[in-house]
Amino acid sequence: GLRTVAQDLEKTLVISTATVALQEQLITKDLPMVAKTAGLDFTYQIAKGRRRYACPRNIAQLSGSNQDQTALDFGNDHEVAASWERPPVDGELELVGKMETMLDSRRWSGDFDEWESEIKPDLQSMLTTSNSGCSGRQCPWVQNCPFYKARQGLKEVDVVIANHDLVLADLTMGGGVILPKQEDTIYVFDEAHHLPDKAI
């Protein structure tokens, strides 16, 4: 098929938009249409921040399967890992166990946006981790880490669909930390009128 300018220059095209919802629209509707109607052959992947992915270490701790954790008894017949910030409510232990099973069997990518039902924000915050809370390459779960898997995939595609928050966060960290390095990238900013507020 036809090649893009970015492919000819051996650069990654990063398309940045304002929200995750718009990212999803680009990847499920707009880019497939462009590829089909223009006869272009290119690969693409969505890029999201770390906190939109499950942390397998935290899930193991919350489910109680991580034997290194000290179990706490909250007095409701549940023994759960010490990383629970509050007693689990009905169904949450089962939910975390299901997530762990689905992750281990590769039936779920670990992307919260792809989970079958809505997850309460306070539970989701326990199921993920921050940059400072991540052990990185030293983590025993790194080989099965949804965030690291997704990040590795970004190095192998022609087009990355990001959002302004993620691009600005990457640039703040020096560039090339989450997204491809600036010198290897062509940026396209969709909904660019949101950029000043995002930058501030």
Side-chain angles (χ1 to χ4, degrees), residues 117-134:
S117 57
E118 194 172 340
I119 306 162
K120 291 178 187 171
D122 65 332
L123 176 59
Q124 185 169 317
S125 73
M126 288 185 267
L127 293 166
T128 187
T129 191
S130 62
N131 185 46
S132 60
C134 178

mmCIF file of all heavy atoms in Angstrom, residues 117-134:
data_model
loop_
_atom_site.group_PDB
_atom_site.id
_atom_site.type_symbol
_atom_site.label_atom_id
_atom_site.label_comp_id
_atom_site.label_asym_id
_atom_site.label_seq_id
_atom_site.Cartn_x
_atom_site.Cartn_y
_atom_site.Cartn_z
ATOM 1 N N SER A 117 -17.126 -3.849 33.360
ATOM 2 C CA SER A 117 -18.055 -2.996 34.110
ATOM 3 C C SER A 117 -17.294 -1.831 34.724
ATOM 4 O O SER A 117 -16.070 -1.817 34.753
ATOM 5 C CB SER A 117 -18.758 -3.807 35.213
ATOM 6 O OG SER A 117 -17.791 -4.394 36.065
ATOM 7 N N GLU A 118 -18.035 -0.857 35.214
ATOM 8 C CA GLU A 118 -17.416 0.320 35.808
ATOM 9 C C GLU A 118 -16.771 -0.040 37.139
ATOM 10 O O GLU A 118 -17.301 -0.849 37.903
ATOM 11 C CB GLU A 118 -18.481 1.405 36.014
ATOM 12 C CG GLU A 118 -17.888 2.778 36.311
ATOM 13 C CD GLU A 118 -18.947 3.876 36.321
ATOM 14 O OE1 GLU A 118 -20.028 3.660 35.753
ATOM 15 O OE2 GLU A 118 -18.664 4.926 36.906
ATOM 16 N N ILE A 119 -15.631 0.552 37.416
ATOM 17 C CA ILE A 119 -14.904 0.300 38.663
ATOM 18 C C ILE A 119 -14.949 1.569 39.495
ATOM 19 O O ILE A 119 -14.693 2.665 38.990
ATOM 20 C CB ILE A 119 -13.434 -0.073 38.373
ATOM 21 C CG1 ILE A 119 -13.367 -1.246 37.385
ATOM 22 C CG2 ILE A 119 -12.690 -0.417 39.658
ATOM 23 C CD1 ILE A 119 -12.024 -1.401 36.719
ATOM 24 N N LYS A 120 -15.264 1.427 40.775
ATOM 25 C CA LYS A 120 -15.319 2.596 41.652
ATOM 26 C C LYS A 120 -13.958 3.285 41.671
ATOM 27 O O LYS A 120 -12.920 2.626 41.769
ATOM 28 C CB LYS A 120 -15.688 2.174 43.072
ATOM 29 C CG LYS A 120 -17.104 1.676 43.232
ATOM 30 C CD LYS A 120 -17.333 1.250 44.673
ATOM 31 C CE LYS A 120 -18.684 0.575 44.844
ATOM 32 N NZ LYS A 120 -18.801 -0.026 46.196
ATOM 33 N N PRO A 121 -13.950 4.635 41.609
ATOM 34 C CA PRO A 121 -12.676 5.363 41.561
ATOM 35 C C PRO A 121 -11.722 5.033 42.718
ATOM 36 O O PRO A 121 -10.508 4.910 42.511
ATOM 37 C CB PRO A 121 -13.105 6.838 41.601
ATOM 38 C CG PRO A 121 -14.488 6.833 41.027
ATOM 39 C CD PRO A 121 -15.106 5.534 41.461
ATOM 40 N N ASP A 122 -12.254 4.872 43.949
ATOM 41 C CA ASP A 122 -11.347 4.609 45.070
ATOM 42 C C ASP A 122 -10.752 3.205 44.983
ATOM 43 O O ASP A 122 -9.598 2.995 45.360
ATOM 44 C CB ASP A 122 -12.032 4.845 46.421
ATOM 45 C CG ASP A 122 -13.174 3.890 46.702
ATOM 46 O OD1 ASP A 122 -13.808 3.401 45.741
ATOM 47 O OD2 ASP A 122 -13.431 3.604 47.887
ATOM 48 N N LEU A 123 -11.500 2.255 44.435
ATOM 49 C CA LEU A 123 -10.941 0.912 44.236
ATOM 50 C C LEU A 123 -9.919 0.939 43.110
ATOM 51 O O LEU A 123 -8.837 0.354 43.225
ATOM 52 C CB LEU A 123 -12.060 -0.088 43.920
ATOM 53 C CG LEU A 123 -11.602 -1.518 43.605
ATOM 54 C CD1 LEU A 123 -10.821 -2.123 44.773
ATOM 55 C CD2 LEU A 123 -12.788 -2.396 43.228
ATOM 56 N N GLN A 124 -10.240 1.643 42.026
ATOM 57 C CA GLN A 124 -9.310 1.718 40.901
ATOM 58 C C GLN A 124 -7.981 2.326 41.331
ATOM 59 O O GLN A 124 -6.922 1.880 40.891
ATOM 60 C CB GLN A 124 -9.926 2.527 39.751
ATOM 61 C CG GLN A 124 -9.051 2.546 38.500
ATOM 62 C CD GLN A 124 -9.760 3.117 37.297
ATOM 63 O OE1 GLN A 124 -10.924 2.819 37.045
ATOM 64 N NE2 GLN A 124 -9.068 3.937 36.527
ATOM 65 N N SER A 125 -8.028 3.312 42.215
ATOM 66 C CA SER A 125 -6.779 3.936 42.670
ATOM 67 C C SER A 125 -5.912 2.949 43.452
ATOM 68 O O SER A 125 -4.691 3.060 43.456
ATOM 69 C CB SER A 125 -7.065 5.184 43.515
ATOM 70 O OG SER A 125 -7.565 4.823 44.783
ATOM 71 N N MET A 126 -6.539 1.957 44.100
ATOM 72 C CA MET A 126 -5.775 0.923 44.805
ATOM 73 C C MET A 126 -5.244 -0.134 43.844
ATOM 74 O O MET A 126 -4.240 -0.795 44.117
ATOM 75 C CB MET A 126 -6.643 0.248 45.876
ATOM 76 C CG MET A 126 -6.930 1.109 47.085
ATOM 77 S SD MET A 126 -7.826 0.188 48.367
ATOM 78 C CE MET A 126 -9.534 0.578 47.934
ATOM 79 N N LEU A 127 -5.929 -0.303 42.714
ATOM 80 C CA LEU A 127 -5.568 -1.335 41.742
ATOM 81 C C LEU A 127 -4.456 -0.898 40.793
ATOM 82 O O LEU A 127 -3.920 -1.718 40.043
ATOM 83 C CB LEU A 127 -6.797 -1.708 40.902
ATOM 84 C CG LEU A 127 -7.939 -2.412 41.631
ATOM 85 C CD1 LEU A 127 -9.192 -2.415 40.782
ATOM 86 C CD2 LEU A 127 -7.534 -3.825 42.005
ATOM 87 N N THR A 128 -4.129 0.385 40.806
ATOM 88 C CA THR A 128 -3.098 0.889 39.918
ATOM 89 C C THR A 128 -1.957 1.449 40.758
ATOM 90 O O THR A 128 -1.937 1.283 41.975
ATOM 91 C CB THR A 128 -3.691 1.967 38.978
ATOM 92 O OG1 THR A 128 -2.706 2.332 38.014
ATOM 93 C CG2 THR A 128 -4.149 3.199 39.737
ATOM 94 N N THR A 129 -0.996 2.077 40.113
ATOM 95 C CA THR A 129 0.098 2.680 40.863
ATOM 96 C C THR A 129 0.562 3.945 40.158
ATOM 97 O O THR A 129 0.246 4.166 38.995
ATOM 98 C CB THR A 129 1.275 1.687 41.034
ATOM 99 O OG1 THR A 129 2.209 2.211 41.972
ATOM 100 C CG2 THR A 129 1.990 1.433 39.714
ATOM 101 N N SER A 130 1.303 4.750 40.880
ATOM 102 C CA SER A 130 1.849 5.986 40.313
ATOM 103 C C SER A 130 3.276 5.724 39.833
ATOM 104 O O SER A 130 3.855 4.668 40.089
ATOM 105 C CB SER A 130 1.863 7.079 41.378
ATOM 106 O OG SER A 130 2.705 6.684 42.448
ATOM 107 N N ASN A 131 3.848 6.708 39.180
ATOM 108 C CA ASN A 131 5.234 6.598 38.743
ATOM 109 C C ASN A 131 6.160 6.366 39.939
ATOM 110 O O ASN A 131 7.045 5.511 39.909
ATOM 111 C CB ASN A 131 5.633 7.873 37.990
ATOM 112 C CG ASN A 131 7.032 7.777 37.399
ATOM 113 O OD1 ASN A 131 7.382 6.782 36.795
ATOM 114 N ND2 ASN A 131 7.827 8.818 37.584
ATOM 115 N N SER A 132 5.919 7.097 41.032
ATOM 116 C CA SER A 132 6.778 6.968 42.214
ATOM 117 C C SER A 132 6.540 5.655 42.950
ATOM 118 O O SER A 132 7.425 5.142 43.637
ATOM 119 C CB SER A 132 6.552 8.150 43.171
ATOM 120 O OG SER A 132 5.200 8.193 43.588
ATOM 121 N N GLY A 133 5.329 5.076 42.798
ATOM 122 C CA GLY A 133 5.024 3.820 43.482
ATOM 123 C C GLY A 133 5.420 2.584 42.704
ATOM 124 O O GLY A 133 5.330 1.466 43.212
ATOM 125 N N CYS A 134 5.874 2.768 41.479
ATOM 126 C CA CYS A 134 6.229 1.643 40.609
ATOM 127 C C CYS A 134 7.679 1.238 40.830
ATOM 128 O O CYS A 134 8.563 2.089 40.877
ATOM 129 C CB CYS A 134 6.008 2.042 39.155
ATOM 130 S SG CYS A 134 6.461 0.765 37.965
#
